[in-house]
Structures are given as C-alpha cells and as structure tokens.
Amino acid sequence: MTLATGMKGTAVRARFTVTGIVQGVGFRPFVHGVATGLGLAGSVGNDAAGVVVEVEGAAADVDALEAALRERAPALAAVETVTRTALPATGAVGFTIAPSDPSAPGPRTLVSADTAPCAACLAELTDPADRRFRHPFVNCTNCGPRLSIVCDVPYDRATTTMARFAMCPACAAEYHDPRDRRFHAQPVCCPDCGPTVRLDGVAEDALDRAVQRLAAGEILAVKGLGGYHLAVRADHEAGVARLRAAKHREDKPFALLAGDLAVADGLVRLDPVAREVLAGRRRPIVLRPRRAGAAVAAAVAPRTAELGVMLPPTPLHHLLAADLGRPLVLTSGNSSEEPIAHRDDDAAERLAPLVDGFLTHDRAIRTRVDDSVVRVARGRVVPVRRARGYAPEPVPLGFRVLRPVLACGAEQKVTITLAAGRRAFPSSHIGDLENLATLRAFTDAIEHLGRLFAITPEVVAHDLHPQYRSTSYALGRDDLEPVAVQHHHAHVASCLAEHGWGPDDGPALGVAYDGTGWGPDGTVWGGELLLASLCAARRVGHLQTVGLPGGAAAVRAPWRMAAAWLGAEGRDLAVAGRHRDRWDAVTTLAGASATLATSSAGRLFDAVAALVGVRDTTTYEGQAAVELEQRVDPDEHTAYPVGPARDGVVPVGDLVAAVADDVRAGVDPGRIAARFHHGLADATVRAVVPAAAAHGVGTAVLSGGVFVNQVLTERVRAGLEAAGLRVLTHERVPCTDAGISLGQAAVAACGGRPVAPGEGEGS
Amino acid sequence: LAHGAGGKATRTLVEAVFVDAFRNPVLEQLEDGAAVSVGGARLAFTTDSFVVSPLFFPGGDIGDLAVNGTVNDLAMCGARPLHLSVGVILEEGFPVADLQRIAASMARAAAAAGVEIVTGDTKVVRRGQADGCFLTTAGIGVRERDVTLGAATVRPGDAVLVSGPIGDHGVTVMLARGELDIEADVVSDTAPMHGLAAALLDAAGDGARVLRDATRGGVATILNEIAGAAGVGVVVDEAAVPVREEVLGASELLGIDPLYVACEGRLVAVVDAARAAAALAALRAHPLGAGAALIGHVADDPPGLVLLRTAFGGTRIVDLLVGDPLPRIC
Ligand SMILES: [Fe+3]
Ligand SMILES: [Mg+2]
Ligand SMILES: [Zn+2]
Ligand SMILES: [Zn+2]
C-alpha cells in the first residue's frame, strides 16, 4: 500500500467534516469501504457536527474520496455540507473507525425517517437459506424503523423501543462489524432475538392464520411502523362496507396496499414518476387515476376517479401482501376524526369494536407516524400529507435562524415546525386539533422534537386566528415571544422557504387559494394575491367576496355557497329545489350584517360543485373540490370568461353565473367543471401578471389547499410561465394547512411584520 | 373590540381591568354574585347590566330580563332574593309607550319573583349615545342555607346537571332581530330561578357544589369557567344535552352551537354524584325544571378543559371562545 502511494506521488492528508443526516445511516462503514478501496490511510468518526474523516494518501485518491462523500452517500444519508481542510501528512497507515463519543456536546444525530425494506433486506426476507427468511422485522442501516421508535437522543439502541430486545450473538457480531451492512443499525434483530408477531395474542403461525382470515374477508387491526392500520381484502364488498360503517367514514377513499408494482398497476394507471415514488424507500400512498375494472369493492373509494395505492412499507406488510396475493384496504386505525392508534393498550380498547382480530407485535411505537400521501400528476410529485418516510427530515433554509422558533400551525391537518440554524424541522402530520388525543399529540410533538433536535425555541409563531387551539397554545407559552403570522402569508412563505428564500430576497407574487383563513380585516380570506416576502406581505388583490352563511356550517354544506352566490336568482336551479325549505333563509343569512364575508377560493369550488350536482354536503375537508376536479372533461378546452379585476378584486361571480347558465342549458357537468377550472385559472393569470409587473416581481408562488387541484395548478402555471414569470409550487411540504407551520417559522425567523390589508380595501 | 359576546374576551377584559383595580377576596371568586356578611346577616349582593336588541322579543323583553337576571344571580349564590334597584339609561326620543311597557313588565316579573324594586335612577343621553334603553339592576338577598357554593368546591366524580333545554333565549333574540326571515316556534326562557334553585339545594344538601345561570356564552362558557376554576375536566355527553327541536333547527341553519347560546332561565348545577339522582328528581318536579337532565360529569383529567363525547364516541374539545365563534375549519 505504501509502495503504491509512493509510486503515485507525495502523500497528502485532509480532514473532511460532513454535516446533514450522516449518523445512524451507515455512513462510517461506507467511508471505511471507500477509503480502504482507494488504499487511503486514516480514520472516520462521528462528532457533534456530523462525521469527521481524516485520510492520507495520493492526492487523486483523496479527491476521489471527497467526490464519494458528496455524491455516493448511503441511501438514508442526506449530506448537507462537506468541508475540506488540508493537514500535514503524518505517514499514517491503515484505516480505522473511531467509536462514537456519547458524551459529545452540542447538536447531535439527525434522526432519520422510517424507511421501507431495502433490496438487500428483501432478498434475505425471501431467501429460505437466510437466517432472516420471513422475519417480519428484517432491517439494516439502509432501511427500517427510525423516527417511530426513537425515545431520546443520542440515537442508540438503548434510546429506542428496541432496547428491551437483547441482541443474540449473531446479530451482535453484525452490529459491531464495521464492514457489515448492519454496523450500528440500532433496530437490528432476527427471529432469535427480535420482536414476535401475534394474532389475537398467539404467536404460533400468526401470519399464516392472519392471511387465512383476511382471505375470508375478516377485518384485522395490523400494527405497522407508525401506528395501527385496519386491513380488509380490497375486493371484498361486504368486508369493505363493514369497515366503512365501523369507522364512521362515509366517503373518504380508503388506501390500498399492493404487494408489488404489477399489482399496483392493475389498480391505477402508473407513469414512470409514479412507479419510482411508489417503489421508493419513503413508501407514501400514491394517488393516481383508477383503472376501469380495477378489482376493488365499490365502498373502497365511492365516486372518485382516483385511488390511493402504496407498496409494503415494512417486511411484515411484504409477507402479508405476498401471501394473500391480492390487494388489501389499509386504512389508519382510528374512528373518524381521531388520531391513528399507536399504543397497544389504546389500540386494543379503541379498535376492538371495529375489527375481527389483531395482528400485532411487541416492538413499541414511540411516536405516531401516519402514512404519507402524494399525488402524481403530469410527472410531478405533489405532497398531500407528509409523514412516514419523510418526517422528521429537515427542510434546509436559505438563511440562518438567529433565534430558534417553534411554529404551531393552524387548526386542521396541523404540523408543528421547529427551526434553528439553517434548518426547519416540520413534524409529521398531527391532525385536527379539536380532539384531546390530537391536542396531546401536538404538545408531545413540540416537546419530543425539541429534545431530539436539541432546539429550545425562543420565539413562538402562530396563526392570526384568535380561536385556533394552536393560537391558544402559543399564547399560553409565557416563556416564548409570540409572533402572529397571517394564514395566507404563512402559506406563501412555506413555499418560498422550501425554495431557499431568505429575508433579503425580495417579494414574490403569492397566490394563496384555500378554504378559510382569518384576515387582518375581520373577514375570512381564502382567495388572495399577496405581494409577499418572508418578512412582510401585502394584499394586492383577492377574489370577489360573498357571505359565508352559517360560518363553519357553510363549509360543510357546499349548497349554501351556491345559495350565497345566486340568492333568489338561483331558485329555479336543481340545487335550490333540493334545499327548497332553506334556500331563501340561507340566501338572507348570506346577506345579513352579522354574516362574515369571504374571498375563499375553496368556497367558490363548493358553490360550483353544488350547482352542477356533484356534491351538496361534505364529509371530509375539500371533498367537493376534489370530486369536481375529477369530473373535469379532459376534452373540453374552453373557459368561462371573467371580467377584468377592479381595485384588485377578481369578479369570480361571473364564473358562478356562467355555471348556472350552463346548468340551466343542460350542459354536461364534466364540461361545466372544465370550463370553470379553466376560467378561474385564466382569471388568476390575468390578475397576477399585471400585479407582478406593477411591483417589479418576477416570481409567482402557488400555495393553499386548493392547489392540490392539478387541473387548476397546471393551467395557472402554464399561463404565468407563458407571461415570463417563474412559478414556484410545493415539493417538500403540502400546499394545505399542513405546510402552514413551515411558513410561520420562516416568517417569524425573519421578523414577522403583520400583513398589510392592501389597497382598495373597504375594511 | 370583541368584548360583547361573553366568553373569554369578556373574561379577559374583566380580569385585566376590574379584578386588578378592585382586588378583594370576594370579587376574585368571580361567581355570579357576592356572598357578604353585614352585622351578622349573611347576604348575597349582585348587579347586572342589560343591553339587548330587540328590546321586545317572544317570551319577554328587556324589563323582565333585567329583573330575572339579577334574581337569578342571587339564586345562584343560594340566596333568597329580596330587594332590587334599577338604573335606566334612555336614548333621547325613546317612546314613552315602550318605557311604560318595560316598566309594567318589570313590575310583573318582580311580583312573580317575590322581590321589590326599592330604588332606582334614570338618565337620558343624546341620540346616538345609547341604543334605545339600557337597564342596570342590582339586588340583595339573604343566604339562609348553610352551604358553601363555588366552582372551587367541585371535585372529580361530581355530576353536571342542566335544568332544561338550552339556547331558547339566545335563538329567540337572534331571530327576533328580523333580519333573517326565519320563522321558528321558540320563545325566550327568561324566568326567576330562585324557587328552582331552592328545590335543588334542598335535595342535594351538602352535595351541592356550584350553581350558575347559563347566560352569556351559554353552557359551554359556564362549564369552562368551572373547569378552569376547579382545575378539573368536565366531560359532557352530547346526546344527553337537552335542546329543543326548533332551537336545534335554527342553530343548524345559523351555524351556531347551542352550547354557546345564552339562556335566561336555565341553571347548570354540579352536585356530588351520590346526590345527582335526588337533585335531578327535584329539578324535574319543579315547573321550570321539567326538561332537566344529567349531561356529564367531572373528571380529574384533562384539567381545565371541557370535552364533548359525540354520538360516534369521539371527543371534541369545547373551548372558551374569544368573541363570536369564527369558522375554524377549512
Ligand atoms: Fe389554509
Ligand atoms: Mg349575570
Ligand atoms: Zn435493509
Ligand atoms: Zn438476533
């Protein structure tokens, strides 16, 4: 080795400091392998900041190692920076892995996300000769449970829920061998020393018996990575209908577990991007157009053109799906509205009335982690729910946070975000704060993530809405300085933040279309054009307002929005006929002085959905808009015209009137849905382009829950890009209220000035 | 300023300004009235101002509202109401006929409650400086029973009772404003509750913890105040809360939650669970308590919060609201 080095020239020595997610992900074995392969001497070890590598050898080989650090890191690593320092050569020989120093101070390991089994582990799972053949808990440094089992830091077996399982000699040998794929894989185990699967308390043949009972149409509670699921054969009409009744879930589609890509392909139409994300290590539920004739029960996803499909997120699910040989409904283990059950005692109590049996195991889940959901449309992966496989990965920020921030999110689909240094850590999906269990998960997440990431906040960011429980929580934190962030500013800022915006970057033209958010003028915002930076925002336009008759009641009853928009003039329409007894009362209520006005884009979709007969009342958030989008006739290309914006107000009443006219004329609902989508998109482009020009802005941002809608998003994007604007949409956090906490954190970190109501406002 | 609708905003205002300025142990309990002793006599003393629009509504008007409101505040202290005062602020131009109607109504209400209006004062302010007619009543009563009532005495396991269907008054007044063109067969529940309270206290004996009349902010606000003051949880069973069909229908239409709607003749009582059946029977035996119900219980967890068990077995947090309810859902 020394001779070889000598022949290539003088030895050089360098130290590399690598930061990011580089601990607990097999980084040191990886460096060991690369360095010894290149014939370099030196060492690799963890320290407070990340991984430190010192190598000595030929200059070209040291350069090759640097390149490998930057470009070839292990699957679960996320390298943020690699810093190189030149050192004098010492003539060292050999390469060593330095042990971790658990007493090292300062920021530590970034806990990584729970990850689906890697190819090597899957090969072992299905190899009869392997000692982990059919072991439901096979994992290695490249895969397996992480966030869901971590109890404390530093990340070590003793601080996970695997602590109670003592490694057998064979596993211990792998765990301690720097060249092994399982070197310091904290959850490592095998059939001899790992957790045990039980069906209704009995371990013997648990999986086989579970598969038989599923095959017979029974509903089982199945303990997964981050919580319990409810499973039933997807093609079993009676079983799925029974599950729906038991969950009190009326319409919201159930997700499906497919054993492999071929099975998934029989359920939904896949494209290369969808295949990649389906089979990727994060394993989200992927929403795609369903195939005609997909063999699923009617009750799986009533009246929707899309299905949500995932591939097995754990070895246990691999075995279940493979043995059963057909898709399963795999829905979160809860009754409607409640958080997913993750503790065994709680699950046994809450889920017993819903299921025929329990397939469970004795590896505890420390943190509830829901399934993630993405939509794949036109080759883009659109985040819908960010949880398992993604959380708690940080969002790198384009600036340094000087005072650590806790951001509390909104009210529904709540996440919290902790931000410090150049990173923001959005939590996993928590849920709607109206439940005590969810509120407790919210406070637990704040405390647990703060400890895991060693972030002690000084500032607490919250929504402007005085009645959100997250606001009450924030204002109750007497130890933190509160910063109120307007809802739609937070939406736009969340998108700016994930695209690397900083406090010195000028404003963008933000389009924030969502359901409802409290405006600084005492009206309900939701169709906003904001001139927004991370530091400040000003309303420069909005959708025409209308009364929100009955407040929250109007949100649950889209027909009320039709009544609000059309009033007495809508009496002849079918929707008015269906609500004859209350139509006039609701139209008066919409115009009453005490009734709040709203510029909400979501409520506009509601009105149109009710008008065309798609949906009069909803049972889950955004349902009317989702179903309206799915009705869009792809062959219809025209758009309803909308008059020019006056004083920044986009007269979307024109759209409602045009829809009503076409309904009266008997035009097909799919064509009406298309013309409406196109009309709103075109009106948005017509409002944004001049506003951007007037303020000298070259970037537009699309955020807010309405932009889950890809028909709208893509037409707005195309229109704005055609006008020369750069368009930013969400790639890391959802555009829904799940992204609010990231935006709040970014705004609060930048000083958080209140939103200016803007020009042309009658407030 | 959102300080009108009862609930948290009013509470915050009161605590920030008045409790701070007047600080004394009696006031700091923030009960409906004050329990005081004068020369050995155990008295209850209270005052209340009344602003309501419209002044006349089905089932009552501002006059009987003002008498019953003060009678009820005394009754909730476990006292027998005796004497009332009234302060009147009139807007210039207020019709004399309306004033006579209000006075007659007050007289009838006082007679029905067995109290006398023994002193008063009237001021007329310029047009626009008041909205028609404002009334302030104060009252004293005598505490003849040897019971200590107050939210601080509430403990886990106690039962929560309500004396009848909730929300009648508030919904009646909202509809009487006439802006909404909604008809509903519902009248205000305004009534003097000292007899009802006495019946309950007789039955509950030393098991009575606290009585409140569920006026502004409704039952939800009362229960939050009790949970906060006692450091306990209150768990309410949604299906057990009595609400009239008409009130439910109008509330649904208006998008309001009856739990937050004002009553003027309904009390909330917390009693020892062992005495709950007797207390409930006593309420139901009284003409004003025919629709009484046991709606929930007190728990040690979660401290300070009110939970509603919904029909599906879920639990929803019932907040103390800041101002009028705003839509929180997206
Ligand atoms: Fe939103
Ligand atoms: Mg009072
Ligand atoms: Zn693996
Ligand atoms: Zn083992």
Side-chain angles (χ1 to χ4, degrees):
Chain A
M1 191 196 301
T2 322
L3 183 64
T5 306
M7 285 174 67
K8 282 185 192 172
T10 323
V12 298
R13 189 176 179 88
R15 177 191 294 137
F16 298 98
T17 306
V18 188
T19 67
I21 301 175
V22 289
Q23 298 184 8
V25 292
F27 209 88
R28 286 176 297 165
F30 154 73
V31 175
H32 180 272
V34 174
T36 50
L38 290 166
L40 293 167
S43 66
V44 57
N46 291 338
D47 80 350
V51 165
V52 179
V53 187
E54 278 197 29
V55 287
E56 185 165 333
D61 294 332
V62 172
D63 291 347
L65 180 102
E66 179 175 359
L69 291 178
R70 293 183 190 279
E71 287 150 25
R72 298 200 349 244
L76 293 193
V79 172
E80 288 181 3
T81 60
V82 177
T83 319
R84 177 172 177 161
T85 316
L87 298 173
T90 63
V93 288
F95 195 88
T96 55
I97 295 185
S100 299
D101 176 5
S103 65
R108 289 163 292 209
T109 306
L110 294 181
V111 174
S112 47
D114 299 304
T115 298
C118 69
C121 285
L122 276 186
E124 293 170 349
L125 183 71
T126 50
D127 175 4
D130 194 274
R131 71 189 190 90
R132 291 190 178 86
F133 176 56
R134 290 184 63 80
H135 179 51
F137 304 95
V138 58
N139 68 82
C140 71
T141 46
N142 297 320
C143 70
R146 294 292 188 276
L147 173 66
S148 60
I149 61 163
V150 174
C151 304
D152 207 344
V153 282
Y155 176 57
D156 201 352
R157 190 172 179 103
T159 58
T160 69
T161 63
M162 282 301 290
R164 53 172 292 213
F165 300 96
M167 276 182 269
C168 69
C171 286
E174 293 167 335
Y175 180 87
H176 292 294
D177 178 359
R179 292 153 307 175
D180 195 278
R181 200 171 96 245
R182 294 194 165 88
F183 177 66
H184 282 206
Q186 306 304 347
V188 70
C189 62
C190 74
D192 293 335
C193 65
T196 308
V197 169
R198 287 187 167 80
L199 181 68
D200 292 338
V202 179
E204 198 177 352
D205 298 329
L207 259 170
D208 292 346
R209 288 184 297 122
V211 167
Q212 282 166 23
R213 289 175 62 181
L214 286 169
E218 288 196 24
I219 302 171
L220 295 185
V222 178
K223 188 177 182 181
L225 258 181
Y228 278 78
H229 284 113
L230 306 179
V232 70
R233 251 175 62 184
D235 58 352
H236 199 283
E237 293 285 352
V240 180
R242 210 154 56 86
L243 177 58
R244 206 167 260 293
K247 273 195 77 163
H248 300 295
R249 181 145 137 173
E250 289 173 54
D251 308 300
K252 198 172 186 184
F254 286 141
L256 301 173
L257 174 73
D260 54 37
L261 275 174
V263 175
D265 199 32
L267 299 169
V268 293
R269 293 205 302 272
L270 297 178
D271 63 9
V273 174
R275 283 172 189 278
E276 193 184 322
V277 66
L278 254 180
R281 65 179 172 87
R282 302 174 187 277
R283 292 294 151 94
I285 295 167
V286 178
L287 300 174
R288 287 291 298 164
R290 74 157 86 192
R291 282 199 190 280
V296 297
V300 165
R303 306 171 62 159
T304 61
E306 282 187 345
L307 290 175
V309 181
M310 70 174 128
L311 296 191
T314 77
L316 175 65
H317 293 92
H318 265 285
L319 295 172
L320 268 184
D323 292 359
L324 186 66
R326 53 178 112 209
L328 277 171
V329 163
L330 203 62
T331 182
S332 53
N334 56 7
S335 196
S336 274
E337 323 258 300
E338 287 180 1
I340 182 170
H342 72 295
R343 289 197 338 263
D344 296 329
D345 51 350
D346 179 52
E349 187 187 319
R350 277 166 56 202
L351 303 184
L354 281 60
V355 301
D356 301 315
F358 281 84
L359 184 66
T360 182
H361 59 73
D362 51 353
R363 185 178 72 202
I365 299 169
R366 163 58 183 82
T367 298
R368 170 190 292 124
V369 190
D370 287 76
D371 294 320
S372 293
V373 183
V374 300
R375 258 190 117 180
V376 176
R378 306 194 197 196
R380 287 178 197 272
V381 181
V382 180
V384 175
R385 183 164 71 202
R386 184 183 182 275
R388 179 177 49 72
Y390 295 85
E393 281 177 15
V395 173
L397 295 174
F399 62 101
R400 176 165 290 279
V401 177
L402 298 177
R403 300 174 67 203
V405 180
L406 161 65
C408 297
E411 174 82 359
Q412 294 188 297
K413 300 181 177 1
V414 163
T415 62
I416 62 121
T417 291
L418 286 163
R422 297 184 70 89
R423 294 189 187 113
F425 294 90
S427 72
S428 176
H429 168 84
I430 295 172
D432 301 349
L433 288 185
E434 68 172 15
N435 287 293
L436 181 63
T438 319
L439 190 64
R440 286 189 164 151
F442 169 82
T443 50
D444 176 65
I446 290 170
E447 190 264 331
H448 188 53
L449 294 183
R451 203 171 53 229
L452 289 190
F453 303 129
I455 295 176
T456 307
E458 295 174 24
V459 174
V460 61
H462 62 85
D463 198 278
L464 205 58
H465 197 304
Q467 292 170 2
Y468 282 172
R469 276 111 182 164
S470 53
T471 304
S472 302
Y473 172 85
L475 296 178
R477 286 289 301 257
D478 296 333
D479 55 330
L480 305 179
E481 180 191 317
V483 178
V485 182
Q486 199 276 331
H487 190 88
H488 301 95
H489 185 199
H491 269 308
V492 175
S494 68
C495 194
L496 290 174
E498 68 166 74
H499 287 281
W501 229 252
D504 301 327
D505 293 316
L509 211 296
V511 184
Y513 284 177
D514 72 345
T516 58
W518 194 234
D521 60 351
T523 70
V524 178
W525 286 16
E528 311 308 313
L529 304 187
L530 301 178
L531 184 66
S533 66
L534 291 186
C535 303
R538 182 153 63 93
R539 194 188 204 191
V540 294
H542 61 84
L543 303 187
Q544 181 183 348
T545 61
V546 70
L548 187 64
V555 182
R556 295 191 195 91
W559 72 267
R560 286 181 183 237
M561 295 313 301
W565 276 107
L566 290 167
E569 285 172 28
R571 273 197 198 135
D572 62 317
L573 293 161
V575 61
R578 293 194 295 272
H579 304 278
R580 192 174 293 112
D581 53 333
R582 292 192 292 173
W583 184 268
D584 287 341
V586 167
T587 61
T588 352
L589 181 59
S593 58
T595 297
L596 294 165
T598 186
S599 51
S600 167
R603 299 293 81 79
L604 178 65
F605 272 86
D606 284 357
V608 173
L611 278 173
V612 301
V614 163
R615 183 150 284 282
D616 283 354
T617 56
T618 59
T619 62
Y620 64 90
E621 190 192 336
Q623 184 179 12
V626 165
E627 293 181 3
L628 188 67
E629 181 191 6
Q630 295 186 358
R631 290 294 280 274
V632 166
D633 179 348
D635 297 325
E636 171 63 54
H637 300 291
T638 66
Y640 294 128
V642 176
R646 223 184 281 162
D647 293 334
V649 179
V650 183
V652 288
D654 293 357
L655 289 172
V656 182
V659 169
D661 286 346
D662 269 1
V663 169
R664 287 187 183 98
V667 175
D668 171 69
R671 298 180 65 184
I672 298 178
R675 291 172 184 173
F676 164 72
H677 276 80
H678 300 162
L680 180 61
D682 295 355
T684 303
V685 170
R686 275 183 62 187
V688 168
V689 170
H695 295 98
V697 166
T699 302
V701 174
L702 311 184
S703 190
V706 167
F707 284 111
V708 168
N709 186 315
Q710 292 304 298
V711 174
L712 180 75
T713 303
E714 290 312 315
R715 189 156 169 132
V716 172
R717 187 201 305 278
L720 294 177
E721 285 178 351
L725 286 163
R726 177 185 175 213
V727 179
L728 303 181
T729 54
H730 285 273
E731 290 161 18
R732 289 172 175 270
V733 298
C735 62
T736 66
D737 283 6
I740 286 284
S741 66
L742 175 63
Q744 289 171 339
V747 172
C750 293
R753 258 172 279 145
V755 168
E759 55 235 25
E761 287 306 304
S763 59
Chain B
L1 208 69
H3 288 129
K8 197 177 189 170
T10 310
R11 178 124 190 146
T12 309
L13 181 74
V14 165
E15 285 180 2
V17 179
F18 294 116
V19 178
D20 195 45
F22 304 152
R23 200 156 284 288
N24 64 65
V26 180
L27 179 68
E28 280 162 24
Q29 291 174 26
L30 292 174
E31 295 289 338
D32 281 346
V36 293
S37 293
V38 181
R42 287 156 43 85
L43 301 180
F45 179 40
T46 190
T47 185
D48 222 334
S49 294
F50 295 83
V51 291
V52 61
S53 171
L55 295 170
F56 303 94
F57 44 83
D61 57 49
I62 191 172
D64 48 23
L65 208 58
V67 171
N68 291 335
T70 289
V71 164
N72 289 341
D73 281 352
L74 294 170
M76 297 307 117
C77 303
R80 183 162 60 89
L82 295 174
H83 304 294
L84 264 53
S85 73
V86 59
V88 185
I89 292 174
L90 295 172
E91 185 182 10
E92 187 187 347
F94 187 72
V96 173
D98 283 356
L99 191 58
Q100 284 168 332
R101 195 174 154 194
I102 290 167
S105 165
M106 293 183 80
R108 268 197 311 276
V115 298
E116 290 179 308
I117 300 171
V118 293
T119 181
D121 175 60
T122 303
K123 294 280 187 298
V124 179
V125 298
R126 272 202 292 277
R127 217 178 270 275
Q129 291 186 343
D131 182 14
C133 171
F134 297 157
L135 297 182
T136 297
T137 49
I140 54 172
V142 57
R143 293 182 292 134
E144 292 159 334
R145 292 161 199 281
D146 188 24
V147 288
T148 312
L149 294 174
T153 68
V154 167
R155 60 194 70 157
D158 287 351
V160 180
L161 310 178
V162 60
S163 68
I166 63 170
D168 295 10
H169 173 78
V171 164
T172 301
V173 168
M174 263 179 261
L175 298 185
R177 285 179 194 142
E179 202 190 0
L180 298 176
D181 197 23
I182 298 168
E183 302 270 320
D185 190 14
V186 49
V187 299
S188 170
D189 48 37
T190 176
M193 291 192 286
H194 56 294
L196 184 70
L200 175 98
L201 292 173
D202 285 344
D206 60 3
R209 310 280 195 234
V210 63
L211 303 183
R212 289 284 176 87
D213 58 340
T215 55
R216 286 203 162 182
V219 170
T221 302
I222 297 299
L223 295 179
N224 268 286
E225 286 174 4
I226 292 171
V232 296
V234 175
V235 183
V236 175
D237 179 4
E238 186 173 36
V241 178
V243 189
R244 279 187 216 286
E245 199 73 23
E246 299 81 3
V247 170
L248 207 56
S251 300
E252 203 280 320
L253 186 59
L254 296 169
I256 53 180
D257 182 345
L259 276 175
Y260 290 93
V261 176
C263 312
E264 290 291 345
R266 302 285 176 242
L267 63 80
V268 172
V270 180
V271 300
D272 185 333
R275 311 301 278 273
L280 186 60
L283 285 175
R284 286 181 173 163
H286 191 278
L288 284 177
L294 195 162
I295 62 167
H297 67 276
V298 177
D300 53 2
D301 186 65
L305 287 184
V306 179
L307 300 181
L308 190 70
R309 282 209 195 290
T310 62
F312 288 156
T315 51
R316 213 180 73 213
I317 301 168
V318 180
D319 292 277
L320 192 55
L321 288 184
V322 189
D324 289 319
L326 306 171
R328 284 189 284 216
I329 57 175
C330 228

